[in-house]
Amino acid sequence: MLKLFKTIIKTGDATTKYPFKPLELPDGFRGKPEYSPEQCIVCGACTSACPANALTMETNLETGERHWQLFIGRCIYCGRCEEVCPTRAIVLSDMFETAVTQKSDLYIKGTFKLLSCRECHQPFTPRKSVDYAMALLVQSGWDAQTVEAMRPQFETCPECKRKHNLLSDGQENISMGNVGSVKK
């Protein structure tokens, strides 16, 4: 029995003094996601990648806004949102204590104003997304003036682009009745 006590004393403490002493976390620990709306371009990659559906995005065309939301109560801390975010607007922190007194405190929200189409004036995408796409073109080697000249193209909704591509000098290139035939 004395031998057992000696072994226990040599081994030391098997547990930590948490919560009275800070807990040492290992490298790569995945805790609560932290969101930076200033960096977010509202691309929706994180909402598509989230396996727990903790991330949602809704577009309100009447107000011209897109609402982004993270519900920590559903988050499984997998890190997929961090992996797919092109601007690092969402990263996993080392914070693991997420107890709250009100359920509303588990929501992280962001609201973004949508850019209106130059043709039909309907809101369709956040300005941040357009500016980010143009900045990527400049970074990849395109001339900044050429990219800026393309701004009207970027600020036109997909539906109006389709209509514009179907029309050439006021004439339809493709018949609406028979998509495969070309009008002359």
Side-chain angles (χ1 to χ4, degrees):
M1 177 100 132
L2 210 47
K3 219 177 195 184
L4 177 64
F5 284 130
K6 284 182 182 178
T7 306
I8 291 172
I9 290 172
K10 284 182 184 177
T11 305
D13 291 337
T15 61
T16 61
K17 304 276 188 232
Y18 180 81
F20 305 109
K21 181 181 171 192
L23 186 64
E24 291 183 30
L25 300 172
D27 291 337
F29 180 82
R30 296 185 304 216
K32 177 183 171 186
E34 290 188 359
Y35 177 64
S36 172
E38 297 82 28
Q39 283 185 260
C40 184
I41 59 170
V42 203
C43 64
C46 58
T47 59
S48 297
C50 183
N53 291 328
L55 291 160
T56 56
M57 193 176 299
E58 295 176 0
T59 302
N60 187 340
L61 295 177
E62 286 80 37
T63 61
E65 294 177 333
R66 187 165 287 163
H67 303 281
W68 182 96
Q69 178 176 281
L70 166 63
F71 179 48
I72 299 294
R74 286 193 62 92
C75 185
I76 59 174
Y77 309 106
C78 65
R80 287 289 298 139
C81 54
E82 180 181 35
E83 290 172 7
V84 299
C85 184
T87 60
R88 305 262 311 146
I90 189 165
V91 293
L92 295 182
S93 68
D94 59 356
M95 187 176 141
F96 61 92
E97 297 168 325
T98 57
V100 294
T101 56
Q102 296 179 3
K103 186 177 178 181
S104 61
D105 294 338
L106 291 173
Y107 287 93
I108 300 172
K109 299 179 181 185
T111 301
F112 302 88
K113 193 77 176 151
L114 295 176
L115 179 69
S116 294
C117 174
R118 286 183 176 231
E119 304 285 327
C120 65
H121 306 291
Q122 291 293 319
F124 74 102
T125 192
R127 178 172 294 281
K128 290 173 126 183
S129 293
V130 171
D131 292 340
Y132 181 73
M134 293 176 69
L136 284 178
L137 287 175
V138 171
Q139 185 181 8
S140 69
W142 286 48
D143 180 46
Q145 292 173 339
T146 305
V147 172
E148 190 59 39
M150 294 172 61
R151 184 172 288 277
Q153 231 178 334
F154 283 102
E155 293 180 351
T156 304
C157 71
E159 185 62 32
C160 289
K161 283 180 186 175
R162 264 191 295 279
K163 287 178 185 175
H164 187 265
N165 286 338
L166 290 174
L167 299 174
S168 175
D169 298 331
Q171 299 289 325
E172 284 186 304
N173 288 337
I174 299 176
S175 170
M176 292 299 181
N178 187 0
V179 177
S181 66
V182 177
K183 280 190 172 182
K184 294 183 181 181

